[in-house]
Amino acid sequence: MENNNNQGNDDRGFRHSGQTFMILIIAAVITFFVYTLIRGAFVTGVTQEISYTEFVTMVDSDQVEKVEWGDSDITIIPKEGASMPSDSTGEYSPYLNQVDVRYYVVPVGADAQKLVDRMLEHGVVIYKKKPDNSGFIMEALISIVLPFVLIFVVMNMTMRRMGNGNGGIMGVGKSTAKMYMQKETGVTFKDVAGEDEAKESLIEIVDFLHNPTKYTAIGAKLPKGALLVGPPGTGKTLLAKAVAGEAQVPFYSLSGSDFVEMFVGVGASRVRDLFKQATQSAPCIIFIDEIDAIGKTRDTRFGGNEEREQTLNQLLSEMDGFDASKGIMVMGATNRPEILDPALLRPGRFDRRIVVEKPDLKGRVNILKVHAQDVQLDDSVDFNEIALATSGAVGADLANMMNEAAITAVKHGRKKVSQADLFEAVEVVLVGKEKKDRILSQEERRIVSYHEVGHALVSAIQKDAEPVQKITIVPRTMGALGYVMQVPEEEKYLNTKAELHAMLVTFLAGRAAEEIVFDTVTTGAANDIEKATKLARAMVTQYGMSERFGLMGLESQESLYLNTGRTVMNCGDDTATAVDQEVMQVLKSCYEEAKRILSENREALDQIAAFLIERETITGKEFMDILHRIQHPAESADTECV
Ligand code: ADP
Ligand code: MG
Ligand code: ZN
């Protein structure tokens, strides 16, 4: 492995010329400074120049030990303790006798002879100076060799930092796992609401971790891995933390994507480090979030990914290798279990699968309660009502709604959260915030109004459809120009064919109203059309609800938990064409039905739309009042009398 790393380093150093260039520049600058410093030390500071007069005076007063007679200068070595006459620059330093004193103009001819005689008289030793090459050699050494030495040193240091540090791209993550290690997660099962079945399976795991010997004593093999699967936001990560919190063991957590690096072998080494560390602090939990990032099946149509496969192989072998009886539990979480490699799921690895479902009505109420713990609520709050209005929402959505509601309350200067705040929060999470500054033209408001009332009216008139809660034509940040909020009276797990049909007609009723009233159509129905088509197609291909194809399964959902709606056709091209025709037929007849219903109730359509244009938002009750008055004029006349 080390080899691999080093290889990586080298690759990096030489391939990425940008970095090398930087290093070169740094080395050059350093070299320049060092060179100047050293050069300065050789040339200055130890040599001093004096005048000829001073020199002669020194000789005469017996202060000169010896001289070196050169071609261009005479170097004077003074006697120890010599006191020198001060020159123009001031006093000589006390170190003078350790210093070369130079006299630069060398006398020639008769003058030279005189000087020599004089010096001999005073017992000065005279040498002939050897030609001095040392300066040149030093310079050559410094300017040629030093840069290379420095480059080498700097590069070496950089490499080492990149190779072994935590932060570098090449960080092999020896300590990455540690960074995510938590001694105590602080989360317990109490913080997770509405996932009772999942919690039940996990309680067992907590017990394994608490008491591994209880199981090994009887000869039972402890499970090694558990996989949490479910849609995003249902609390998988939260549950894993809760297990660690309940078992009070360290929690090593890494996300699958942390393992995936651009260099082959890095992920695998991370896996090994992670297990090594975990083994040392057993009992503990190793949690790999979003495990599909590494656990994707190796058998892909699009060719493999060397790095990911190597990481996966390492994970598989580590899972086989460790001793579960010490109390190590590997947990994984994913919302795409169908793409995981079968090898990961076989007994002895992630053999336990814990399904974390979207919460049901009761679950949603409980989740709201958990997140309302620290929130001040007033008496109007009824979680049941909110839970009913949020069918299909997951824990993360509900937590978000609770927070939005609290923020709304603060914005309105209130001390407590009311039911109205909560409903507004539900809308914010589902369709976005109100966009008050988007001004629709009068004509647009009329069209949007008729469109929305079309949906609401058709839904109210068809017996199987759900009642209307609210209609609004205030634009929203997520793109809706208006919408109809429907509230289911109870949680539904099954839909009858009649209900689905009614839904289709309702989806298309917006467009139908536009056509009837304005005799033209707009782009506003795009989303309705998309939803209607998806539903109609599912009825034909998945639910076996068409006469023509009967119970033939023509399409299957690509992903179990992700709501991408992507499907795979399981039929031949001819059949696919026929399916398209069938879907088209269904949509056409539903559209006709919507138009028929609206034409029959034209008066209600006009009146409610007019009311909505005036008010911008009307409640389900106001809507039903108008509808009733028109449907039963006599009755409502009576009520008015009373
Ligand atoms: P997942 O990992 O399934 O995508 P998370 O565990 O990250 O979802 O959940 C995100 C947040 O949503 C949590 O931090 C928590 O606040 C909230 N949440 C989700 N499910 C629940 C639940 N069942 N009970 C309480 N809170 C939940
Ligand atoms: Mg998660
Ligand atoms: Zn619509």
Side-chain angles (χ1 to χ4, degrees):
M1 193 57 251
E2 286 300 277
N3 277 336
N4 253 324
N5 296 343
N6 289 339
Q7 172 124 31
N9 289 346
D10 289 348
D11 274 1
R12 215 182 143 61
F14 292 111
R15 237 194 303 163
H16 297 246
S17 54
Q19 189 141 16
T20 316
F21 186 64
M22 270 303 294
I23 293 172
L24 270 175
I25 289 187
I26 294 172
V29 170
I30 294 176
T31 311
F32 178 75
F33 277 113
V34 172
Y35 173 66
T36 327
L37 269 176
I38 293 176
R39 200 183 136 92
F42 274 106
V43 175
T44 61
V46 285
T47 311
Q48 199 150 15
E49 197 182 330
I50 58 173
S51 66
Y52 186 65
T53 323
E54 279 166 339
F55 174 38
V56 175
T57 319
M58 280 178 79
V59 173
D60 285 349
S61 54
D62 286 329
Q63 300 211 334
V64 178
E65 173 88 41
K66 56 185 176 188
V67 298
E68 285 176 12
W69 194 287
D71 289 336
S72 58
D73 64 344
I74 302 168
T75 303
I76 305 142
I77 288 103
K79 278 194 177 139
E80 215 162 308
S83 76
M84 307 262 305
S86 60
D87 71 348
S88 51
T89 59
E91 314 94 60
Y92 288 101
S93 73
Y95 312 109
L96 195 71
N97 50 358
Q98 293 158 21
V99 165
D100 285 350
V101 181
R102 278 175 205 233
Y103 166 62
Y104 276 101
V105 183
V106 178
V108 287
D111 287 345
Q113 193 54 54
K114 263 189 217 158
L115 183 59
V116 169
D117 289 346
R118 197 178 203 131
M119 286 198 287
L120 290 175
E121 215 170 279
H122 288 275
V124 177
V125 188
I126 304 169
Y127 292 97
K128 171 97 177 94
K129 197 182 235 172
K130 288 176 207 101
D132 182 12
N133 281 332
S134 67
F136 173 73
I137 293 171
M138 272 316 285
E139 251 176 57
L141 267 179
I142 289 171
S143 58
I144 296 169
V145 179
L146 198 65
F148 284 100
V149 172
L150 277 170
I151 289 175
F152 180 77
V153 169
V154 171
M155 268 173 93
N156 216 22
M157 268 163 52
T158 320
M159 286 310 152
R160 197 164 299 177
R161 215 191 52 226
M162 290 197 303
N164 297 339
N166 305 328
I169 299 176
M170 285 305 298
V172 178
K174 284 211 160 69
S175 42
T176 319
K178 201 178 220 151
M179 269 168 29
Y180 294 88
M181 202 270 254
Q182 278 175 291
K183 260 264 172 291
E184 258 158 45
T185 57
V187 179
T188 63
F189 282 148
K190 274 213 263 0
D191 300 304
V192 191
E195 299 294 346
D196 293 337
E197 294 76 20
K199 277 198 259 181
E200 217 161 273
S201 331
L202 289 170
I203 283 172
E204 220 177 73
I205 290 175
V206 172
D207 201 42
F208 290 143
L209 290 166
H210 258 319
N211 254 319
T213 44
K214 190 165 95 190
Y215 294 84
T216 46
I218 211 171
K221 283 220 171 57
L222 298 180
K224 286 184 166 178
L227 192 64
L228 295 161
V229 300
T234 45
K236 297 182 295 296
T237 309
L238 193 67
L239 268 169
K241 286 188 181 158
V243 171
E246 290 283 331
Q248 294 180 324
V249 297
F251 183 66
Y252 288 90
S253 130
L254 272 172
S255 179
S257 54
D258 291 341
F259 292 109
V260 183
E261 286 284 342
M262 58 178 152
F263 298 107
V264 175
V266 175
S269 104
R270 275 196 190 148
V271 171
R272 199 187 5 254
D273 287 338
L274 178 64
F275 276 82
K276 206 159 101 194
Q277 276 188 40
T279 320
Q280 282 158 6
S281 46
C284 68
I285 290 174
I286 298 175
F287 177 54
I288 304 173
D289 210 350
E290 316 294 350
I291 197 170
D292 45 283
I294 40 171
K296 245 181 241 164
T297 175
R298 286 164 291 184
D299 171 32
T300 53
R301 278 161 286 169
F302 315 109
N305 169 333
E306 185 75 14
E307 157 66 355
R308 204 190 57 233
E309 286 180 11
Q310 202 169 324
T311 310
L312 176 58
N313 286 335
Q314 185 68 38
L315 179 62
L316 295 177
S317 81
E318 290 290 347
M319 287 199 72
D320 285 341
F322 77 81
D323 181 7
S325 62
K326 280 196 189 133
I328 299 178
M329 186 77 201
V330 186
M331 291 177 74
T334 179
N335 37 41
R336 307 178 66 190
E338 64 280 349
I339 65 161
L340 289 182
D341 198 286
L344 259 182
L345 304 174
R346 76 146 172 75
R349 288 167 185 160
F350 289 105
D351 46 358
R352 289 189 174 225
R353 183 183 284 225
I354 293 156
V355 179
V356 187
E357 295 272 12
K358 282 191 179 177
D360 57 8
L361 184 64
K362 196 167 132 263
R364 290 199 297 277
V365 172
N366 289 333
I367 293 173
L368 285 169
K369 279 184 187 154
V370 165
H371 289 281
Q373 262 164 10
D374 301 326
V375 179
Q376 304 293 320
L377 303 168
D378 73 12
D379 297 337
S380 65
V381 171
D382 177 0
F383 286 143
N384 220 47
E385 229 182 343
I386 305 290
L388 265 175
T390 50
S391 145
V394 294
D397 296 330
L398 295 169
N400 189 5
M401 283 170 193
M402 205 60 192
N403 196 44
E404 282 290 336
I407 290 171
T408 312
V410 172
K411 216 158 54 191
H412 292 291
R414 274 183 271 107
K415 289 243 156 52
K416 290 189 170 172
V417 171
S418 70
Q419 185 77 344
D421 295 331
L422 278 168
F423 264 114
E424 197 176 326
V426 171
E427 279 179 64
V428 167
V429 172
L430 295 183
V431 291
K433 275 195 165 47
E434 283 189 352
K435 207 167 171 179
K436 295 229 169 72
D437 57 343
R438 175 174 289 168
I439 314 276
L440 298 183
S441 71
Q442 204 57 37
E443 184 62 9
E444 278 173 337
R445 276 160 63 96
R446 259 167 62 79
I447 296 175
V448 174
S449 196
Y450 269 99
H451 179 109
E452 299 306 338
V453 176
H455 284 306
L457 195 57
V458 165
S459 133
I461 285 170
Q462 298 182 92
K463 284 192 191 62
D464 291 320
E466 299 149 349
V468 174
Q469 158 97 17
K470 170 181 167 178
I471 313 172
T472 170
I473 53 169
V474 179
R476 293 274 164 170
T477 47
M478 277 156 81
L481 294 178
Y483 68 94
V484 179
M485 193 170 161
Q486 300 182 323
V487 174
E489 283 170 323
E490 62 191 8
E491 184 112 298
K492 282 239 172 74
Y493 300 98
L494 281 177
N495 284 109
T496 63
K497 185 177 173 184
E499 281 165 348
L500 293 182
H501 179 79
M503 271 161 84
L504 276 181
V505 178
T506 305
F507 281 145
L508 298 173
R511 163 59 71 89
E514 288 176 31
E515 195 188 324
I516 290 173
V517 178
F518 302 97
D519 207 20
T520 179
V521 291
T522 69
T523 53
N527 187 253
D528 297 335
I529 292 171
E530 189 186 325
K531 282 195 283 193
T533 309
K534 211 149 119 190
L535 178 56
R537 180 172 281 274
M539 285 170 75
V540 173
T541 61
Q542 293 175 47
Y543 306 149
M545 288 180 180
S546 73
E547 305 279 301
R548 183 155 166 195
F549 297 103
L551 297 182
M552 192 173 175
L554 298 165
E555 237 175 27
S556 48
Q557 207 76 32
E558 199 171 55
S559 166
L560 209 55
Y561 298 110
L562 281 185
N563 211 356
T564 55
R566 294 256 298 274
T567 51
V568 194
M569 276 287 209
N570 305 325
C571 57
D573 291 348
D574 289 348
T575 321
T577 315
V579 166
D580 288 341
Q581 278 162 359
E582 179 72 10
V583 171
M584 197 155 56
Q585 198 51 49
V586 170
L587 291 173
K588 214 172 209 155
S589 79
C590 289
Y591 185 60
E592 291 307 322
E593 193 172 336
K595 281 203 290 190
R596 182 181 54 76
I597 294 174
L598 289 176
S599 303
E600 283 168 7
N601 294 275
R602 181 64 196 262
E603 202 189 333
L605 179 64
D606 286 338
Q607 285 202 21
I608 300 171
F611 189 61
L612 180 59
I613 292 168
E614 189 191 316
R615 295 286 186 90
E616 286 199 332
T617 300
I618 62 175
T619 65
K621 194 171 169 303
E622 289 168 326
F623 171 87
M624 289 315 263
D625 283 350
I626 301 177
L627 184 61
H628 276 145
R629 213 166 50 223
I630 291 163
Q631 280 179 333
H632 313 282
E635 260 175 53
S636 49
D638 279 354
T639 18
E640 263 170 21
C641 288
V642 171

